[in-house]
Amino acid sequence: MDSVESGACSVGVGFKPQHADDIADAPGCVDMFEVHAENYMSAGGARIAQLERIRRDYPLSLHGVGLSLGGLDPLDRQHLARVSRIVDRFQPHLFSEHLAWSSHAGRYFADLLPLPYTSQTLHRVASNIEMVQDALKRRILLENPATYCRFEDSPFAETEFLRRITGLTGCGLLLDVTNVVVCACNHCFDPDAYIDAFPMSAVEEIHLAGYAESPNEDGDLLLIDAHNSAVPEPVWRLYERVLAKRGPVRTVIEWDNDVPEWATLLNEAQSARTILQNARTLTAPSRGRA
């Protein structure tokens, strides 16, 4: 498994089966691929065979959506076992999940739902992360969420909550820059201030994606983390701010709905690569004369 630093300038995209032929025709077009773990939990079949071919040529990042780390119920041990099997099978360089909950009383929901940032929630999420890390025998990354409501009883700021989780569990963070822009609009806060307060030293991967715009019931603009379009300018701008603070870090373009032609997705990856390379030049240590 490559180190975080050796992959710091890696750029990847979410793998989509319809792009498999284009990827085969252009080897090395990106540095890595990300897939949702829950899409590859079968024992075999065409989908698994396709991913095995991709894995032979590219590093993988597995992104979970179903562990419900913030749920009130105990972790689903059967689901965790399925995740563990796919991690063992494909040996991804990273595994990540969300700071959210998505199941309750045996029912699974289609959304990643928000949490109150309290001491009780903190210790529940930390306990679940430790259980996952023990099962997978590796450090995982936790992603900051996109949210559309806030709890009155949230004494911790999200950035402080994430900082405390990393301290309690040793997990890393996946910074979804689009989610920051979405939440900043929906909850009326300054995205730059959020990034300035974020525990950057724990960030090992970045997500960039498009969002949808929709007026809420009061006529105010609401942003939806839809992953259905090109990365918009506010996200690129905030990404540059992140890199100025963190330095180059592995970056993934997400485009899960209204999936475009491969050339369009590849162009997004190239835009991220250009920004990463510029950040690497700016943060490289100066060399004295011999």
Side-chain angles (χ1 to χ4, degrees), residues 168-211:
L168 287 170
T169 68
C171 77
L173 296 177
L174 192 169
L175 174 53
D176 191 310
V177 179
T178 298
N179 287 356
V180 178
V181 173
V182 165
C183 291
C185 174
N186 294 347
H187 305 311
C188 300
F189 65 78
D190 179 3
D192 289 349
Y194 180 99
I195 291 302
D196 292 346
F198 202 85
M200 285 293 168
S201 63
V203 174
E204 296 186 17
E205 188 169 272
I206 287 174
H207 276 177
L208 305 173
Y211 51 70

Side-chain angles (χ1 to χ4, degrees), residues 208-229:
L208 305 173
Y211 51 70
E213 299 182 356
S214 177
N216 65 17
E217 59 186 13
D218 297 320
D220 299 321
L221 180 64
L222 182 73
L223 298 187
I224 308 296
D225 181 35
H227 296 188
N228 66 342
S229 60

Side-chain angles (χ1 to χ4, degrees), residues 38-278:
E38 283 76 7
N39 289 339
Y40 292 92
M41 288 184 168
S42 60
R47 182 185 289 267
I48 291 294
Q50 189 178 58
L51 188 59
E52 286 176 335
R53 288 194 293 273
I54 290 292
R55 181 64 184 93
R56 285 197 294 267
D57 297 324
Y58 297 91
L60 284 183
S61 181
L62 281 183
H63 193 44
V65 297
L67 282 173
S68 195
L69 295 176
L72 289 173
D73 294 341
L75 286 183
D76 183 332
R77 295 301 186 102
Q78 290 183 333
H79 186 76
L80 180 55
R82 289 191 290 268
V83 171
S84 182
R85 284 194 292 271
I86 190 174
V87 167
D88 288 343
R89 182 171 193 169
F90 289 101
Q91 290 296 305
H93 66 278
L94 292 173
F95 177 83
S96 55
E97 249 289 357
H98 300 80
L99 179 60
W101 63 279
S102 56
S103 65
H104 182 69
R107 297 183 62 188
Y108 283 82
F109 305 102
D111 295 306
L112 295 165
L113 300 165
L115 301 169
Y117 295 141
T118 64
S119 293
Q120 182 180 20
T121 306
L122 175 69
H123 290 288
R124 182 171 68 249
V125 173
S127 177
N128 286 338
I129 288 174
E130 288 177 335
M131 189 178 301
V132 172
Q133 292 185 144
D134 288 345
L136 302 186
K137 300 179 177 60
R138 62 168 62 209
R139 184 187 197 215
I140 72 167
L141 306 187
L142 186 65
E143 179 182 336
N144 57 296
T147 58
Y148 310 96
C149 66
R150 302 171 85 175
F151 291 86
E152 290 184 0
D153 183 20
S154 280
F156 296 126
E158 185 171 276
T159 50
E160 179 61 21
F161 192 85
L162 289 165
R163 187 186 309 277
R164 294 189 180 218
I165 286 179
T166 62
L168 287 170
T169 68
C171 77
L173 296 177
L174 192 169
L175 174 53
D176 191 310
V177 179
T178 298
N179 287 356
V180 178
V181 173
V182 165
C183 291
C185 174
N186 294 347
H187 305 311
C188 300
F189 65 78
D190 179 3
D192 289 349
Y194 180 99
I195 291 302
D196 292 346
F198 202 85
M200 285 293 168
S201 63
V203 174
E204 296 186 17
E205 188 169 272
I206 287 174
H207 276 177
L208 305 173
Y211 51 70
E213 299 182 356
S214 177
N216 65 17
E217 59 186 13
D218 297 320
D220 299 321
L221 180 64
L222 182 73
L223 298 187
I224 308 296
D225 181 35
H227 296 188
N228 66 342
S229 60
V231 178
E233 185 56 36
V235 176
W236 288 125
R237 186 200 65 77
L238 198 62
Y239 178 52
E240 291 176 336
R241 186 180 186 91
V242 169
L243 296 181
K245 291 184 167 297
R246 170 61 176 82
V249 62
R250 182 181 284 109
T251 299
V252 173
I253 303 291
E254 295 184 296
W255 199 324
D256 298 314
N257 297 299
D258 301 329
V259 177
E261 297 295 321
W262 173 243
T264 300
L265 190 56
L266 194 58
N267 185 62
E268 292 289 281
Q270 185 54 51
S271 295
R273 189 185 305 280
T274 298
I275 295 172
L276 263 179
Q277 290 172 339
N278 290 340

